[in-house]
Amino acid sequence: MNTIPPMSWRGHIRASLLLGLPLVGSHIAQMLTHITDVAMLGWYSVDALAAVVLATQTYFVVFIVGSGFAFAVMPLCAAAIGANDDRQVRRSVRMGAWLVLFYGLLLAVPLWHIETILLFLGQQENLARIAAEYMRIAVFGLFPALWIMVLKSYLSALERAQIVLIATLAAAAANVLFNYALIFGNFGFPEMGARGAAVASILTISINFLFLLFYCWGLPALKKYDLFVNPFRFDREAFVETFRLGWPISLTLLAETGLFSAATVMIGWSGTVALAAHAVVLQITSVGFMVPLGISNVGTIRAGRALGRKDKLGLSRAAAVVIWGAFLFSLVTMTLYLTIPRTLMRLFLDPSEPNLSAIVEMGVLLLIVSAAFQIVDATQVAALGMLRGIKDTTVPMILAIFSYWCVGAPMAYILGFPMGYGAQGVWGGLVIGLTLAATTMLVRYYKLQNALRF
């Protein structure tokens, strides 16, 4: 029986803000690192940019699917911390690190042969060659990148997200310097182009990983978890539990990212202007999405801790703060997209672009449609975070696949082409898929919350 006095509403809001702000900041900093890579390669060479985009899109899918196993560490650690089970924290982190290692070794093989894959898919030979030059260096960064995700989940569950933000900001700053030196051949380094971007990526990831690793090893307050005791000991029970929780998260992430990739392909059929407008709107909405994503992480952690304490009232209040917080922020982004769409579009476009006016006007139409899914997108990711916190991942995976691929993607195609609405119709299909996901995820969460008996 939980004997701890219930936390007040003010306490829940304060705790969520203290945890959420650095998590949101770290997500935005991570995204800015990617934007910097794209911009600096664009300044170097259009061919290098196009080839590296092909490579990094493939790398990103592999990375995001592998991150599902790392994300599983977050609710497992949060629940163990809530139950004061320090040993279980160590077991979950260690087996999470094992899982992403095995995953990385398996997927490194197709990444190494990306030139063959791209040629099979009909890409130009010179782009496939440059992409392979990039990937055969960058692939070695996959392992520390996935281990970073495990450590970030561990530290976030401990509510030490500030250090995650500091590490991500430091890595983002270092990435700019490494790119400047190695892509263009500055500071006495050779000019390496795309290969330089790959080396810069590995150096950036390694600095971030070592920073977090030494923090976890050296901080006295974390010594009680004995994270580095017997790191090579296999723990079958913890391995299976982490895998069981992680693989549905991986497929859920793949379903959502795949939906937006499919939308990009469909909009490409509408021509260059539509595709350029879509790309800019996707960047704008992705930056805005980092806030609900951080709020979702807060939900996972606070739900996991309440579950570990067997605190149903705390779980209920944490859910209300997280879901309403995501909803209120979505009203802010929706207002921005409806009131200053042209200003937002021009932030991402070269003023000398010949098709500037056409791209901006198409982007305005897409932002108006995207404003409609701000609420449902924020709500679905918040509900998904709460579900992960109470260790429910398989049914949400099924709901996501059905919402995005059985409803969202077909409706995007039908609205976009047979019904003739083009890019706007494709985005309309995304709205429908996300609305269904948000509704079903919320119903699922509250059904499980009401069924808890402790």
Side-chain angles (χ1 to χ4, degrees), residues 76-99:
L76 290 171
C77 284
I81 292 164
N84 294 313
D85 188 348
D86 296 344
R87 179 172 175 269
Q88 185 60 40
V89 173
R90 176 174 69 253
R91 295 172 69 199
S92 298
V93 175
R94 188 169 62 206
M95 289 303 98
W98 275 55
L99 261 174

Side-chain angles (χ1 to χ4, degrees), residues 12-34:
H12 276 284
I13 294 171
R14 182 177 183 274
S16 295
L17 285 172
L18 288 175
L19 179 58
L21 290 174
L23 283 172
V24 168
S26 67
H27 287 314
I28 292 174
Q30 184 66 47
M31 186 167 186
L32 291 177
T33 301
H34 169 70

Side-chain angles (χ1 to χ4, degrees), residues 40 175-192 196 200:
M40 296 183 80
N175 185 63
V176 173
L177 291 175
F178 292 145
N179 274 340
Y180 183 70
L182 298 171
I183 293 174
F184 301 99
N186 292 306
F187 305 134
F189 288 92
E191 180 183 331
M192 298 175 67

Side-chain angles (χ1 to χ4, degrees), residues 55-66:
T56 54
Q57 285 295 313
T58 308
Y59 179 96
F60 177 75
V61 172
V62 171
F63 171 74
I64 201 67
V65 173

Side-chain angles (χ1 to χ4, degrees), residues 6 9 34 68-69 99 117 122 150 153 163 169 200 231 257 276 305 325 373 384 396 412 415 424 428 432 436-437 452:
W9 282 105
H34 169 70
F69 298 111
L99 261 174
I117 295 170
V150 173
S153 290
I163 195 64
L169 288 173
T257 56
R305 288 200 165 197
F373 80 63
L384 192 56
L415 290 171
Q424 285 177 273
I432 293 171
L436 181 59
L452 288 173

